[in-house]
Amino acid sequence: MAREPVEIFEQLCDSTREVVMLRSLEGLLDWDERTQLPPAGGEYRADQVAYVAGLVHQKQTAPEVGEWLDELADSPLAADSTSDHGSTIRLLKRDYEKKTCLPQSLVEELARTSVLGQQVWASARRENDFSSFQPILEKTVTLKRQESAAHGSSETPYDPLLDDYEPGESTKNIARVLGELRDALVPLVQAISESSFSPDVSLLERDYPVAAQESFGRLAAEAIGFDFQAGRLDVSIHPFCAGLGPGDVRLTTRYDPNKFNDAFFSILHEAGHGIYDQGLPRQHYGLPLGKDVSMGIHESQSRLWENLVGRSRAFWEHFFPQAQTVFPTALGDVNGDNFYSAINDVRPSLIRVDADEVTYNLHILIRFELELALIEDQLQVADLPDAWNEKYQHYLGIDPPTDTEGVLQDIHWGAGLFGYFPTYALGNLYASQFFAQAEKDLGDLSADFRRGEFSRLREWLNENIHQHGRRYTPAELAERITGAPLTHEALLGHLTDKYSAIYGF
Ligand code: ZN
């Protein structure tokens, strides 16, 4: 006798939760590797990771999962694609098809090339030698084009790659929005550069003892709503946030005793990611409705807390007096206005990860335009360094003196991550769009921030974004929340208002 759809559905969910549990073990191994693992343990750790990854792949692509999905597709459970059951079936089907449409040989080749590509990239960057990186990057681009083709036909081969990070988004749409942003940002950056005002950033390079930085960062993360009963803060070389399961979200940062910005703003950034993970509906954990929707939306949450809240004047009206108490040597004689302009210093620079709130988007634009051209076969890898330098001159007015500080600075392309970069800019765009809507719904939030009060904003984010998991695509979510599709206007408006006031133009 045929089984009831509900029974099949439960079996599908159990199997999916098992995959998520394995993936959380992978995440725990990765967190441990980046924060605790002694160097000599690296080799065995690689074996452990490969073993768990194998189990994940096996479970994810098991033929019975495809059969269950087929059986459920025509069942009443799938009839309403927005119901809990319907959404879950629809999203699991999508995930399964994405995982199984690539030939095994291509998956293996991509994985091998990614590991090798990162190694070759690291030494090429160290030696400032692009030519040693060129062959493996050429191979990576070829494989990514094959990967794209395996997903079926699309308007541009970039679409399926972008879709891995930003489900449902199209290259055409983001190229338009990011292009509009670029055309408005280039003159804005120029106006800032030509301003006679220059913030005194040296006050951020005074004596900031690490222990005090840590306690102050924790204080701020807790104030904006990161729950330390359900999370941790540790140290790693590159800051990250790992959502390892319900009640277990881990942030990391790094400290430099002579730099205030690095640790403080990376803690706020990662706490923003963490608040999203902590806000996902627990009852759906392990299933699509309990998972974050996309890289761009995840980044919108970190950017919102880091920049729109954490670099605002109102935030520092509350926190600056406390910062003066915590860092008396560095900040005792500094006034709040000078501190505010120092943390909002804008200047065209070479390195993306050190870039300010304004120029950061241009760093992303450059990468997006170049990787799109590579994938569309409009640009050859051999011509990449020249194309890179030309765009840095054109958009930011600077000439990278070496490839190490230019085209070789990021790990992404060596690792085969094409389609990833634009999500950083989408994060900034969505953050501004959501923040503007939150102020429409809740009224001026700066009065809250001045009192050190962030719960109304956090609850608004939870209600409008976190609690939906993957029920809506990023574009649908933006449309539902703000009544408008993705646009560059909110971000541009925020940047123009804020920086014309600071730089006086
Ligand atoms: Zn982030």
Side-chain angles (χ1 to χ4, degrees):
M1 210 179 89
R3 289 189 309 153
E4 288 294 324
V6 174
E7 222 176 302
I8 302 171
F9 182 79
E10 283 310 321
Q11 197 163 18
L12 176 68
C13 289
D14 285 346
S15 155
T16 307
R17 285 193 206 95
E18 211 176 317
V19 170
V20 172
M21 188 181 283
L22 286 169
R23 297 212 57 172
S24 74
L25 292 171
E26 261 184 311
L28 185 56
L29 290 172
D30 179 63
W31 173 85
D32 178 80
E33 183 177 339
R34 293 160 79 175
T35 59
Q36 312 286 335
L37 188 73
E43 212 175 312
Y44 188 62
R45 176 55 45 89
D47 293 343
Q48 292 173 310
V49 170
Y51 176 71
V52 182
L55 289 178
V56 167
H57 183 75
Q58 211 179 342
K59 283 242 148 244
Q60 262 175 342
T61 57
E64 62 262 30
V65 175
E67 288 158 22
W68 297 332
L69 284 164
D70 285 343
E71 285 178 70
L72 287 169
D74 301 321
S75 78
L77 290 180
D80 176 1
S81 68
T82 60
S83 69
D84 283 9
H85 283 102
S87 306
T88 303
I89 295 166
R90 170 172 55 84
L91 291 161
L92 290 178
K93 190 169 165 60
R94 181 193 146 87
D95 295 347
Y96 184 77
E97 281 166 0
K98 281 217 101 165
K99 283 273 173 272
T100 51
C101 73
L102 301 182
Q104 187 63 27
S105 57
L106 180 60
V107 173
E108 284 167 14
E109 193 63 12
L110 278 162
R112 246 197 313 275
T113 309
S114 161
V115 173
L116 191 60
Q118 293 174 67
Q119 290 166 5
V120 176
W121 164 79
S123 87
R125 182 170 93 147
R126 205 170 41 239
E127 310 290 328
N128 185 36
D129 178 14
F130 182 81
S131 65
S132 67
F133 182 50
Q134 187 181 322
I136 188 103
L137 185 56
E138 282 167 347
K139 184 170 179 194
T140 303
V141 170
T142 306
L143 289 172
K144 296 308 280 189
R145 289 172 56 82
Q146 287 172 15
E147 178 186 339
S148 169
H151 287 289
S153 70
S154 51
E155 202 176 340
T156 150
Y158 193 79
D159 271 344
L161 305 178
L162 176 66
D163 186 84
D164 280 349
Y165 305 103
E166 212 56 22
E169 190 51 88
S170 81
T171 307
K172 193 172 164 187
N173 185 49
I174 66 165
R176 178 183 58 79
V177 175
L178 293 178
E180 285 165 354
L181 180 65
R182 175 201 58 212
D183 293 347
L185 274 187
V186 170
L188 179 64
V189 170
Q190 216 165 353
I192 293 171
S193 302
E194 284 162 6
S195 157
S196 57
F197 177 68
S198 180
D200 175 12
V201 292
S202 72
L203 58 91
L204 301 172
E205 287 158 12
R206 294 177 174 179
D207 185 22
Y208 292 93
V210 167
Q213 286 195 50
E214 191 193 331
S215 63
F216 189 63
R218 273 179 195 277
L219 178 89
E222 198 158 19
I224 64 169
F226 183 77
D227 177 4
F228 279 96
Q229 288 302 309
R232 293 179 54 91
L233 173 64
D234 297 274
V235 173
S236 66
I237 295 170
H238 298 289
F240 67 97
C241 166
L244 298 177
D248 189 0
V249 177
R250 317 240 176 142
L251 317 177
T252 71
T253 189
R254 58 181 168 205
Y255 301 98
D256 178 330
N258 296 112
K259 278 186 182 163
F260 173 78
N261 274 6
D262 281 19
F264 185 78
F265 288 105
S266 75
I267 291 172
L268 278 192
H269 180 100
E270 302 308 335
H273 282 302
I275 289 168
Y276 184 10
D277 285 342
Q278 288 180 338
L280 291 167
R282 208 172 168 138
Q283 72 274 23
H284 294 304
Y285 183 76
L287 296 173
L289 295 184
K291 196 182 175 312
D292 61 283
V293 57
S294 73
M295 297 286 301
I297 298 294
H298 224 309
E299 193 68 5
S300 78
Q301 301 304 289
S302 57
R303 289 297 186 181
L304 186 144
W305 290 108
E306 177 194 357
N307 288 334
L308 291 148
V309 178
R311 289 184 204 267
S312 72
R313 196 181 276 279
F315 179 91
W316 287 103
E317 281 175 30
H318 176 74
F319 278 106
F320 188 65
Q322 298 183 49
Q324 285 185 302
T325 313
V326 177
F327 307 108
T329 332
L331 296 176
D333 64 344
V334 172
N335 87 37
D337 282 345
N338 291 345
F339 180 80
Y340 170 71
S341 44
I343 58 163
N344 284 299
D345 177 59
V346 171
R347 63 188 74 202
S349 62
L350 292 166
I351 305 297
R352 172 183 65 87
V353 295
D354 298 332
D356 56 78
E357 188 186 6
V358 184
T359 60
Y360 190 86
N361 298 290
L362 292 173
H363 288 269
I364 297 306
L365 248 310
I366 291 169
R367 288 155 178 77
F368 167 61
E369 291 176 357
L370 293 172
E371 69 177 22
L372 178 59
L374 287 171
I375 294 296
E376 289 187 338
D377 210 14
Q378 308 281 334
L379 173 70
Q380 299 312 303
V381 171
D383 301 324
L384 185 58
D386 285 346
W388 177 284
N389 294 343
E390 201 177 296
K391 283 194 189 284
Y392 265 80
Q393 176 51 243
H394 199 171
Y395 297 168
L396 286 159
I398 50 177
D399 292 306
T402 64
D403 287 337
T404 298
E405 295 157 282
V407 68
L408 289 173
Q409 67 183 269
D410 298 307
I411 195 170
H412 300 59
W413 290 336
L417 302 175
F418 285 78
Y420 188 124
F421 275 127
T423 68
Y424 292 121
L426 293 180
N428 289 330
L429 293 165
Y430 281 132
S432 294
Q433 224 169 316
F434 293 153
F435 191 81
Q437 187 63 42
E439 288 213 299
K440 263 188 208 154
D441 292 354
L442 304 171
D444 180 19
L445 287 165
S446 45
D448 287 24
F449 302 167
R450 252 176 241 123
R451 295 196 313 272
E453 175 53 53
F454 304 95
S455 57
R456 286 200 310 146
L457 175 59
R458 191 181 63 254
E459 282 158 17
W460 185 94
L461 293 168
N462 186 268
E463 195 179 306
N464 286 285
I465 299 164
H466 308 168
Q467 66 145 343
H468 295 305
R470 290 174 61 195
R471 191 183 302 268
Y472 307 108
T473 65
E476 286 166 353
L477 199 58
E479 188 85 49
R480 274 180 61 94
I481 297 170
T482 69
L486 180 71
T487 158
H488 74 292
E489 279 161 17
L491 176 59
L492 183 68
H494 157 70
L495 295 176
T496 307
D497 290 351
K498 178 175 171 180
Y499 288 94
S500 62
I502 294 176
Y503 283 87
F505 56 84

